[in-house]
Structure formats: C-alpha cells, structure tokens
Amino acid sequence: MLDSAVNFIKGKIDGFKPEIGIILGSGLGDLADEFCKVAIPYSDIPGFEASTVSGHKGRLVFAEINGKNVVMMQGRFHFYEGHSIQKVVFPVKVMKKLGVETLIVTNAAGGVNPAFNPSDLMIITDHINYMGVNPLIGANDDSMGDRFPDMSEVYTLEYIELVKKIASKLGIDLQEGVYMALTGPSYETPAEVRMARVIGADAVGMSTVPEAVTASWAGMKVIGLSCICNSAAGVSTVGLSHSDVIHAANVAKDRFKTLVKDVIKEI
Ligand code: HPA
C-alpha cells in the first residue's frame, strides 16, 4: 500500500522532490492555501483516509516556500476519528519515501503550564505518549527504522535552538515545553490536567505524538510547534469549545506562518 501511494503521488508531481514535510494543525492550514503548486485530495490517494474534522481540509499540498521544496498535509488523521494508529501515521511514511528529511509537526493544544496564554506558540521539546497506543506496533519495516528505536531526542535539539533564535529575531514570543498526547475526542477533566502537570506536561493535545514517533523512527529530523489555543480544563475557569480553539488559532495564524516560513528558509 505504501508503494502504491508513493507511486500515485509521484505520478502527479512531475519530478518534484520535497525535502521538508509539514503537518498543519487545526486552524493553521492556510500556509497550504498561500503556497500551492499541486494539491492532491486525500480521497484520491491509495491508503489515505478522508479527514472528518471541521477546520481540516484533507489534501496533500506541494509547494516551494523560501526556496525549499515542501509537502504539506492540510489536515491530518486523528486517532479519535476512529482511524487505526497505523493509518494516522501512514502519510509520514509516504513523506519519508518521497525523500522528506525534516518534518514540522504542528497542532492546536491546551495550555497546562499556568504561565501560558491562549494564542501563545510553543516549541515542543519532548512529549509524553498518553494515548495508550504506539504507532510502531506491528511488523517492523527494517528498511525504514529499528524495531526498538531510541526516543531520547525525538525533537531535534539543533532545530529547537534554531526555532528559538528565529522567533527571537522576529520578535515572536515563544514558549517551550513538553506536549502530552491523549486520544480525545473529549477534552480532559480538571483532574486529568492536574495529573498532566504533575507528570511533566506543559500542553495537552490529541495528535502529533504518533507522527513524531514515526518520523523519528524513520530517521527524520522533527520540529514540533503547538498553538496554545486555550487554558486546559481547570487551569482557568473558562469552559472549552472547539470554536474557541479555532478562534485562538486564527489569532495566532499570522505569527505562526511568519515563524514557519523563516524556519523553512533556515533549515
Ligand atoms: N485539550 C486537548 N486538545 C486540545 C485542547 C485541550 O485543551 N485545546 C486544543 N486541543
């Protein structure tokens, strides 16, 4: 199935070789509208599923941004949509086979660290997989990665430093911290958020970890960026809604795009 997807895509992109992959999270998808050379709907690609979340478009977009060849997922597959975890990470394997060396994974997240405010951007320094499932379960493809891959540095240290430097040059405030993934789709309870804080999380969300684990396993460099869209349950007294999350992502969107475009230029 992987080869069918890769061959299908190659047939549509006329020799284009992406070196950077970007997974665009909720409300952050416009980078793909701004720069789009070829767009392939997920529903056309063998092995891809249709994305079911509003605010997620569901296409693979190829573009040149700041002199680099990029492939973007405009919309991702979430475990909570009912896809198997292997389907969630399938596009990352496809990107690897297309030649992608660096994956930028983005998401909307809830702030667990009380110092975070809605619309803050956070560079992910590490993660906690609290989804109860690992995307590498199953037969291992030894040609892509090890059976027991080291996860000591999923998020490439050199690039964390680079992103921080670029943000500071642009005058963009950047938080940093640990992202904890839960399955969703329900948001956390206040007790779960207190637990998340105790075990070392700064933000909580429902994505990113499966893709980052898979990319790291496959030898890709990884950059993780969260848009903190709300204070997680119990951190503030305000209740949570998906529309508030999308609104906060919209407020952060231009800052996020400016940062990502400059990061693309420098890596
Ligand atoms: N929790 C989990 N996922 C999220 C949140 C949250 O508070 N906000 C945006 N995505």
Side-chain angles (χ1 to χ4, degrees), residues 180-252:
M180 175 168 154
L182 301 95
T183 65
S186 52
Y187 290 119
E188 302 70 32
T189 63
E192 287 163 349
V193 172
R194 286 195 298 276
M195 173 196 70
R197 189 70 188 138
V198 166
I199 66 175
D202 294 288
V204 281
M206 306 173 191
S207 67
T208 298
V209 164
E211 297 107 312
V213 166
T214 304
S216 176
W217 162 75
M220 292 155 93
K221 294 192 166 155
V222 181
I223 295 171
L225 276 172
S226 292
C227 172
I228 304 297
C229 289
N230 54 277
S231 296
V235 176
S236 93
T237 48
V238 188
L240 298 190
S241 76
H242 183 59
S243 59
D244 289 346
V245 168
I246 296 296
H247 174 73
N250 272 323
V251 170

Side-chain angles (χ1 to χ4, degrees), residues 16-22 31 35-37 61-72 100-102 104 159 162 166 223 260-267:
F16 183 89
K17 287 213 163 38
E19 52 190 306
I20 298 171
I22 310 179
L31 196 66
F35 298 90
C36 176
K37 200 170 182 150
V61 173
F62 294 82
E64 189 189 312
I65 304 179
N66 277 335
K68 301 275 170 62
N69 286 350
V70 173
V71 52
M72 289 172 272
V100 167
E101 290 164 10
T102 302
I104 303 176
Y159 284 172
L162 181 72
I166 293 169
I223 295 171
V260 171
K261 281 189 272 190
D262 266 34
V263 169
I264 290 169
K265 187 163 44 174
E266 302 293 335
I267 58 177

Side-chain angles (χ1 to χ4, degrees), residues 105-148:
V105 201
T106 73
N107 60 59
V112 172
N113 185 325
F116 291 0
N117 291 305
S119 299
D120 277 354
L121 299 180
M122 181 187 92
I123 178 85
I124 302 176
T125 54
D126 202 350
H127 72 227
I128 298 171
N129 181 2
Y130 210 79
M131 291 180 119
V133 66
N134 188 296
L136 305 179
I137 287 175
N140 189 59
D141 180 347
D142 296 331
S143 72
M144 274 207 163
D146 293 341
R147 171 75 292 186
F148 301 108

